[in-house]
Amino acid sequence: MLLRHTTSEVKEREGLTINPAKTCQPIGAMYAALGIHGCLPHSHGSQGCCAYHRSTLTRHYKEPVMAATSSFTEGASVFGGQANLLAAIDTIFSVYDPDIIAVHSTCLSETIGDDLQQITRKALDDGKIPEGKYVIYASTPSFIGSHVTGYANMVAGMASQFAVSTGEKKDQVNLVAGWMEPSDMRELKRISKEMGAKIVLFPDTSDVLDAPQTGKHVFYPKGGVTVPELKSTGDSKFTLALGCISAEPAAIALDKKCSVPFETVDMPIGLSATDRFIMALSKAAGVKVPDSITAERGRLVDVMTDMEQYFHGKKVALFGDPDQLIPLTEFLLDLGMKPRHIVSGTPGGRFDKRMKEILERAPGANFKNGLNADMFLLHQWIKNEPVDLLIGNTYGKYIARDEDIPFVRFGFPILDRIGHSYFPSVGYSGGLRIVEKILGVLMDRQDMTANEEKFELVM
Amino acid sequence: MEQIGILEGREKQIFEKKDGGQAFDISCETTSLSGSVSQRACVFCGSRVVLYPVADALHLVHGPIGCAAYTWDIRGAVSSGPELHRLSFSTDLREMDVIYGGEKKLYASLIELIEKFSPKAAFIYSTCIIGLIGDDIDAVCRKVAKETGIPVLPVHSEGFKGTKKDGYKAACTALMKLVGTGPIEDISPYSINILGEFNLAGEAWIIRKYYEEMGIEVVSTMTGDGRVGAVRRAHGATLNVVQCSGSMTSLAKDMEAKYGIPYIRVSYFGIEDMSAALYDVAKHFPDRPEIMEKAKEIVSREVRNLYPKLQKFKAALSGKKAAIYVGGAFKTFSLIKALRSVGMSVVLAGSQTGNKEDYLALKEMCDEGTVIVDDSNPVELSKFILEKEADLLIGGVKERPIAFKLGVGFCDHNHERKIPLAGFEGMYNFILEVYQSVMSPVWQFAPRKGGSL
């Protein structure tokens, strides 16, 4: 078996990462940029970075993912990448004709010291940016943070570079989406509409990375937050950031630039986090929670009640991105399950703090983030204390197979299944889907392994 | 935005065969234009794919996490034994390492890994940032090799230092250091190395079986189910058999220069080329005619078995049109021939890394009206697929959803093939896959093919 190499003895490592539970900043920036309408992401570095990010996003979404690259060569690495980026901006506007270019840096351009702000300023001064078009940027060095950090940086870039304060407040609330699926963003819009809350959601990858088959290859699918909407975020009366790591930086940027007050809530995954989100949105938008939403909640609680005995005491290992793990862990606890091992490759004190709070209900659980918090460590922990369920992205399948653990795919990337981009995990209906998926694998396991005499029709 | 034109500066990388013999001067082996949506990758990518299948070696990526994360088990190069190559090891450089250098971290990581996994050798991949901060990875490798007693080989694959092809070369340079370090006394004079066959979905096993059946000893399948021990003995083989135009030719040339081992280029795709790959090797051993006899026997047996099965597909596929956009140009030749054998024509043929000779040969092979492209991009691909009314696109991971959005069948001939496409049985699998995709009922619902919205 593939991971036979994993040993059970856990030893401190000096920097080495084995089977990472994260990847690098630029891919997060690329994903976020795809959530702006008419935007072509641009990778300022070697061709390989752009190719890898496009491939990974393509595998996850099964959609064409367009992005341009500065195509660094040795010359650029010595003399700086300004000439490349200026030429790229020219090429992109004349050939691909996007409304916006969203440039992100790579470890290469960061190390040689390219200043994206200065270069884009120069492009503007040199008249390389046509009237009504935009170039935005985010600094996303691969040696800091993770893909989640890159997402946060690009979303913050959208806020700080587009938002304008006209002095006239609008009756709308900004919703900053943390790293979530197009289906989740679609669900957030549906919930807000149901509640009668006027929102600007950004970024918004729905209708971009779940686009319909049309017989055409459309470079800029119809979805994405528009420039006028992004500009108007400066006039919004409030901002709700969904996720302290991937969304809050944008809320802070908006507050700084346009004095829009904000509150950060967890991503609405599971019952408690969705409750808090609904209440926060109701307060921020000044709307009442309608009966229809209360009924959605009631259905989730009803299913949790019906199935309570099957969740109780089941041990779970999970890994992924911090803003998703925080509410998901809480949801597992709400279901009566026992989270035992939790790993996030993304570094950050906020995760530690929130996890500690949540895990007060689960004494003795292991959790780690940042350096060496990788799949190898998670596997070692599982070897030392086996679990009944594993939740995480596709890479978890190796551990699940080796240790024979029921496995639910959740997070990024999911390369070997569909569904994540079409069925939401947020909100009460998202909670239902998570419950259904968990129960599905647990019950399948029970049916497949029950003794002949214990095998029953009804659960 | 319905129409996007061809990129300025790319006109010379596109050629349409018209009136037989217009002057042909395709521009290739250039770097992509800044700002283009290129389908190409980098030097590191080239090195990583070539060395990836050496299964009992440690592959440590020295750099920030991305390079290791994106190449973690994406290749599908399967192993009959150890699977160390499928794990992802990274020094995961952080900001402080970039400032103060990553040599210490590399050293510590190597020592930890070698102690934990006892690999037969270690490949250390140098990424973009290492080239910039100037870590002396050669010195670290020498030190660790001395302390641990295993070969520790630096691979100079800084992403920006050229194209994917330069990465192949860096990988070959690293392999060349292993070649010549193992015992060769008991190797048969009727022996070969198989180069440039990556054992995707077990393809190397099929190829190896044919040659062994012919009575030829396969010393190493270097880059497919590869083993360090076999690579070390590779200089004991009589002939190098190189598949794929780009990736392993430089190693074959180096081995010819240093050890006098000649090499031939082959392809294992399609009946014609697969047969030639067996005959060409047999021809190299004229003093043992039974090798050729056996080769003929294998070909006739396999073709007899395959031919009737293909006829069923041919009836359905005759007249259908394909577009090909793959990594190496050599593969394109084979695919054109393979598709012709079931009555399909090729309307677009392109590669990411072809050279002038490749494209000239391609021009000779292609039908009138075929478009030949170098280093293409999604805009051109979709433009030509629609214009030429292709029914199928053969490409890699980034091309698949483009074909599907256009309502066109697709076959992955790169990383993502889950069934072997090489050899005679691979030919059957390939045509089956083409048939299943082109003839899928789903296209009738695609708006462009007459389905309504």
Side-chain angles (χ1 to χ4, degrees), chain B residues 154-228:
Chain B
V155 186
H156 289 283
S157 51
E158 291 86 352
F160 58 84
K161 275 194 175 163
T163 64
K164 196 171 169 183
K165 256 187 168 173
D166 299 292
Y168 297 153
K169 198 153 188 315
C172 289
T173 305
L175 282 173
M176 192 60 190
K177 288 186 188 146
L178 276 181
V179 173
T181 59
I184 56 170
E185 293 76 31
D186 56 344
I187 293 176
S188 156
Y190 306 98
S191 57
I192 59 169
N193 294 309
I194 296 177
L195 273 63
E197 160 47 63
F198 296 99
N199 202 33
L200 304 181
E203 290 177 333
W205 299 334
I206 296 173
I207 306 304
R208 190 181 184 119
K209 200 178 67 198
Y210 295 145
Y211 286 127
E212 285 176 350
E213 208 184 331
M214 284 160 61
I216 286 168
E217 179 179 347
V218 178
V219 181
S220 69
T221 48
M222 241 174 241
T223 52
D225 198 11
R227 296 292 180 278
V228 173

Side-chain angles (χ1 to χ4, degrees), chain A residues 76-88:
Chain A
S77 314
V78 177
F79 302 113
Q82 172 165 316
N84 285 52
L85 186 50
L86 292 175

Side-chain angles (χ1 to χ4, degrees), chain B residues 151-312:
Chain B
V152 182
L153 306 159
V155 186
H156 289 283
S157 51
E158 291 86 352
F160 58 84
K161 275 194 175 163
T163 64
K164 196 171 169 183
K165 256 187 168 173
D166 299 292
Y168 297 153
K169 198 153 188 315
C172 289
T173 305
L175 282 173
M176 192 60 190
K177 288 186 188 146
L178 276 181
V179 173
T181 59
I184 56 170
E185 293 76 31
D186 56 344
I187 293 176
S188 156
Y190 306 98
S191 57
I192 59 169
N193 294 309
I194 296 177
L195 273 63
E197 160 47 63
F198 296 99
N199 202 33
L200 304 181
E203 290 177 333
W205 299 334
I206 296 173
I207 306 304
R208 190 181 184 119
K209 200 178 67 198
Y210 295 145
Y211 286 127
E212 285 176 350
E213 208 184 331
M214 284 160 61
I216 286 168
E217 179 179 347
V218 178
V219 181
S220 69
T221 48
M222 241 174 241
T223 52
D225 198 11
R227 296 292 180 278
V228 173
V231 177
R232 300 177 86 143
R233 301 170 73 233
H235 60 303
T238 314
L239 176 69
N240 276 332
V241 184
V242 187
Q243 164 164 268
C244 185
S245 47
S247 65
M248 294 293 279
T249 313
S250 80
L251 181 69
K253 283 184 179 160
D254 288 351
M255 285 177 74
E256 187 171 38
K258 190 163 178 189
Y259 300 104
I261 304 171
Y263 73 91
I264 55 170
R265 277 170 68 173
V266 300
S267 163
Y268 302 124
F269 299 113
I271 298 173
E272 234 175 293
D273 286 358
M274 183 62 236
S275 306
L278 300 184
Y279 292 147
D280 289 351
V281 168
K283 272 186 216 152
H284 198 78
F285 304 105
D287 61 320
R288 201 174 259 199
E290 58 267 41
I291 292 181
M292 181 59 89
E293 284 311 306
K294 198 69 199 177
K296 286 181 180 163
E297 201 184 304
I298 294 170
V299 170
S300 102
R301 178 190 74 207
E302 296 291 333
V303 173
R304 213 168 38 238
N305 173 33
L306 185 58
Y307 189 77
K309 288 194 207 159
L310 292 183
Q311 297 319 299
K312 283 188 290 186

